[in-house]
Amino acid sequence: MADVSTESAGAGKQVQDALATSEARMHALLAAAVDGIISIDERGLIQLVNPAAERMFGYSAHELIGKNVSLLIPSPYREEHDGYLARYLGTGEKRIIGISREVEGLRKDGTSFPTELSVAEVRTGRERIFLGILRDISERKRTEERLRLVVESTPNAILMVNAEGNIVLVNSQAEKYFGYRREELIGQAVEILVPERFRAKHPDYRESFFTSPSARPMGVGRDLYGRRKDGSEFPVEIGLTPIETREGLLVLSAIVDITERKRAEEVRAQLSRELAEKNKEMENIVYAVSHDLRAPLVNVQGFSRELGATCRMLQGLLARQGALAPDQVTADEAHSLVNKDIPEALGFIQASVAKMDALLSGLLQVSRLGRALLTPARVDMNGLLAEIRETLEYALKQAGATLAIEPLPACWGDAGHLNQVFSNLLDNAVKYLDRARAGRLVVTGRVEDAQAIYVVEDNGIGIAPAHQAKIFEIFHRLEPSVGSGEGLGLTIVQRIVERHGGRVWVESKPAEGSRFHVALPRAPTTRSDQ
Ligand code: ADP
């Protein structure tokens, strides 16, 4: 027996030792744990606090043991906590047990911090305790917040899309670009942001990205467009970056709206087209100038040579007159030279010089037009045409013609330059009237979309079809010449109209009349127009 009792006493000692060792291990474990560990009983009273939890909350264990755990929970969660516990004990409804979630902890100094809490329920005999394991996630939260700020503050739209093609994250720039609110985008297929005509192909592109993910620009060689909520589109450039996350592989797309860049490119292309056009025009001008200026020059040359020869003959005659008897002088010859040949040659020289002068001044006028500063404003075309009519009154009377001006819409332009346009057109209309019938000129106008279109119509001699395309060219005149002019009027008209961003064209039938159309930007609508 003694043996047995000694044995059992020995066994008891062993058990005790084992228990002591196990408790010491437990303490060591709790002390070493990085996570905070707090246990509470069914009433919510704290039983155990490990050093990590002490550090986390700024309390020492003995300050906490026996106190209600709600001490560590900030309002308004604190008030709810007792309710949770009571409900769980009553209904078994688990809200937090077995799940880890983010909650706020309250430190002794009154500050709070985010923590990830998981709660385990432990039964020891009849007793039931709850073990809370806490991890301070302030640092993680700060990193997340910093990341969020970076994502939010980039000038690009950012989207994160999962392998199924659903949007999992957007920044505020993406909301602005696409006109959707964040909650309207999250969970949606990314295809809603792709124009309909590209949608069908998009999932294939997406799939091939997920099969061989690498950071790269999207759609190299294709023009990409984003589609806004209202259905409108805008050109974009998209960079794709694969990102490995806990949710699996995601693709981060950074989207840049390149509307402005495209517009700038278009303007540049337009400018270089215009420059090429202007160069061509310059070449034409140079050709026309050298061609047209040569004719009067050749005349000047010819007639001055003739004058030289005439002079030499005159000198000969005079010499002979001195040497020979007076009755041998051909008086008729001398008369003809002085009274006819010389004045005639001089007349041609003067006319050629005058012609050259006119051509040169016309040329100057055209070249000045290209550089003249336009000061656009709303132009009252009724007032402008009334002014022109006054200056035309005499010519109209001379030609026995009438001019009707119908009510005209206002346009946007430089009044001085537009006066020149309509003066030239009406001058021509009078100049090229048909003497065989009563002249009738009409000016009408209408608004069409963003343009004001004016028509200057006459019932004059008209223009042959072959000739119509050329009349706007510099120095181009109808041969044989009808009327007088340098063939500059319409060149100037076209220059001015085009500098206004407008267009001029002609419709004409020989022997019936002509209609010159001038399209100009319409004046912005003001209250007085309504
Ligand atoms: P210009 O009148 O000095 O010859 P323009 O440039 O004004 O030069 O006109 C070029 C040519 O176009 C004219 O020579 C004429 O043949 C033709 N033209 C212009 N306006 C009319 C018109 N209203 N009716 C008929 N022909 C016209």
Side-chain angles (χ1 to χ4, degrees):
M1 281 303 278
D3 275 344
V4 174
S5 72
T6 330
E7 239 174 56
S8 73
K13 174 86 173 57
Q14 264 178 5
V15 170
Q16 247 175 11
D17 283 352
L19 273 176
T21 317
S22 145
E23 201 166 315
R25 276 198 194 124
M26 256 286 281
H27 273 287
L29 275 179
L30 286 174
V34 188
D35 291 337
I37 299 171
I38 295 175
S39 77
I40 59 172
D41 64 14
E42 286 183 353
R43 289 165 300 164
L45 302 182
I46 300 172
Q47 299 174 320
L48 177 150
V49 179
N50 80 337
E54 286 180 303
R55 282 195 298 276
M56 224 179 259
F57 289 93
Y59 286 102
S60 61
H62 71 263
E63 285 177 291
L64 290 175
I65 289 172
K67 300 267 169 55
N68 193 302
V69 72
S70 60
L71 182 69
L72 304 177
I73 306 172
S75 277
Y77 316 106
R78 164 184 298 182
E79 290 70 23
E80 292 164 11
H81 187 262
D82 288 341
Y84 280 148
L85 202 57
R87 186 166 50 233
Y88 173 63
L89 296 172
T91 64
E93 183 197 339
K94 286 186 186 172
R95 287 259 177 131
I96 180 164
I97 292 160
I99 321 158
S100 80
R101 65 174 197 174
E102 280 178 33
V103 296
E104 287 282 303
L106 182 65
R107 295 197 191 90
K108 187 179 175 182
D109 65 10
T111 56
S112 60
F113 61 99
T115 148
E116 196 175 77
L117 168 71
S118 39
V119 179
E121 186 181 351
V122 185
R123 284 173 191 271
T124 51
R126 282 183 31 247
E127 209 188 6
R128 172 150 65 163
I129 65 169
F130 298 98
L131 202 62
I133 298 164
L134 294 143
R135 177 165 296 175
D136 187 338
I137 53 171
S138 306
E139 195 47 49
R140 193 172 90 199
K141 281 274 164 188
R142 264 198 293 276
T143 310
E144 274 176 15
E145 177 61 11
R146 273 200 289 267
L147 261 177
R148 197 187 64 79
L149 283 175
V150 168
V151 167
E152 280 304 313
S153 60
T154 68
N156 303 341
I158 303 257
L159 291 179
M160 242 177 7
V161 174
N162 63 17
E164 287 75 49
N166 296 325
I167 301 170
V168 297
L169 177 145
V170 301
N171 70 349
S172 55
Q173 196 62 12
E175 294 179 285
K176 270 191 223 132
Y177 273 15
F178 291 98
Y180 286 98
R181 273 175 293 116
R182 201 167 293 231
E183 54 275 22
E184 291 177 296
L185 288 173
I186 301 290
Q188 294 296 319
V190 67
E191 276 77 24
I192 64 165
L193 306 178
V194 177
E196 273 126 343
R197 61 185 184 287
F198 302 125
R199 264 183 209 168
K201 282 198 177 155
H202 194 261
D204 287 344
Y205 289 136
R206 185 157 41 73
E207 234 178 84
S208 79
F209 181 85
F210 277 94
T211 12
S212 56
S214 66
R216 61 180 181 235
M218 178 174 159
V220 181
R222 279 184 289 141
D223 277 340
L224 301 179
Y225 294 89
R227 183 184 191 276
R228 297 195 190 90
K229 187 178 177 183
D230 65 11
S232 59
E233 293 179 13
F234 58 103
V236 291
E237 217 166 67
I238 302 179
L240 301 176
T241 313
I243 292 186
E244 196 64 65
T245 70
R246 275 188 293 183
E247 301 160 64
L249 186 63
L250 297 178
V251 53
L252 181 84
S253 15
I255 303 167
V256 189
D257 182 341
I258 56 169
T259 310
E260 283 312 313
R261 195 201 304 166
K262 281 238 157 171
R263 200 171 290 155
E265 276 167 15
E266 269 161 32
V267 168
R268 219 170 315 155
Q270 171 73 17
L271 279 181
S272 65
R273 268 199 303 275
E274 273 175 24
L275 205 64
E277 233 169 69
K278 289 277 167 254
N279 273 343
K280 196 155 180 337
E281 202 179 311
M282 253 341 270
E283 270 170 30
N284 288 341
I285 289 177
V286 169
Y287 174 79
V289 167
S290 45
H291 181 269
D292 288 47
L293 288 185
R294 271 198 74 213
L297 256 188
V298 167
N299 283 345
V300 170
Q301 211 172 33
F303 288 115
S304 54
R305 267 198 203 120
E306 205 164 293
L307 209 54
T310 312
C311 281
R312 277 192 296 282
M313 274 177 75
L314 207 52
Q315 283 159 3
L317 272 177
L318 289 173
R320 268 185 283 154
Q321 195 180 29
L324 303 168
D327 59 348
Q328 284 176 303
V329 173
T330 328
D332 282 353
E333 267 182 320
H335 267 287
S336 160
L337 285 176
V338 175
N339 294 322
K340 189 172 154 280
D341 297 357
I342 296 176
E344 224 174 65
L346 277 173
F348 280 122
I349 290 174
Q350 273 154 16
S352 291
V353 169
K355 174 82 179 167
M356 252 177 39
D357 186 42
L359 287 173
L360 280 175
S361 72
L363 193 64
L364 261 178
Q365 208 183 336
V366 173
S367 71
R368 273 204 203 102
L369 264 185
R371 286 180 292 155
L373 213 62
L374 298 185
T375 42
R378 181 193 167 77
V379 181
D380 166 24
M381 294 298 282
N382 296 308
L384 189 129
L385 264 291
E387 272 173 36
I388 297 176
R389 177 206 277 280
E390 276 182 30
T391 65
L392 268 183
E393 221 54 86
Y394 180 74
L396 285 169
K397 214 177 189 172
Q398 287 287 96
T402 60
L403 166 61
I405 301 170
E406 294 192 355
L408 304 170
C411 69
W412 188 254
D414 180 299
H417 283 86
L418 292 182
N419 187 307
Q420 199 174 357
V421 166
F422 288 90
S423 294
N424 285 1
L425 291 179
L426 282 165
D427 279 345
N428 280 350
V430 177
K431 202 157 72 178
Y432 299 106
L433 278 173
D434 193 338
R435 304 284 163 231
R437 57 177 178 271
R440 197 172 40 75
L441 316 184
V442 188
V443 182
T444 57
R446 64 182 194 277
V447 166
E448 222 168 73
D449 302 325
Q451 290 185 317
I453 300 177
Y454 305 94
V455 182
V456 177
E457 186 180 336
D458 65 58
N459 62 342
I461 58 171
I463 306 163
H467 196 53
Q468 283 175 22
K470 295 187 172 164
I471 55 172
F472 294 101
E473 286 174 11
I474 192 160
F475 298 146
H476 186 88
R477 307 210 62 235
L478 188 64
E479 293 297 340
S481 295
V482 189
S484 63
E486 312 308 331
L488 266 179
L490 291 179
T491 309
I492 290 171
V493 164
Q494 192 182 43
R495 276 259 163 142
I496 295 176
V497 171
E498 286 181 353
R499 283 207 62 199
H500 278 75
R503 205 163 71 81
V504 54
W505 69 100
V506 68
E507 260 173 22
S508 181
K509 268 201 185 137
E512 277 187 27
S514 311
R515 245 188 240 136
F516 283 86
H517 301 254
V518 178
L520 289 165
R522 65 179 289 190
T525 324
T526 61
R527 214 164 273 198
S528 61
D529 289 333
Q530 287 159 9

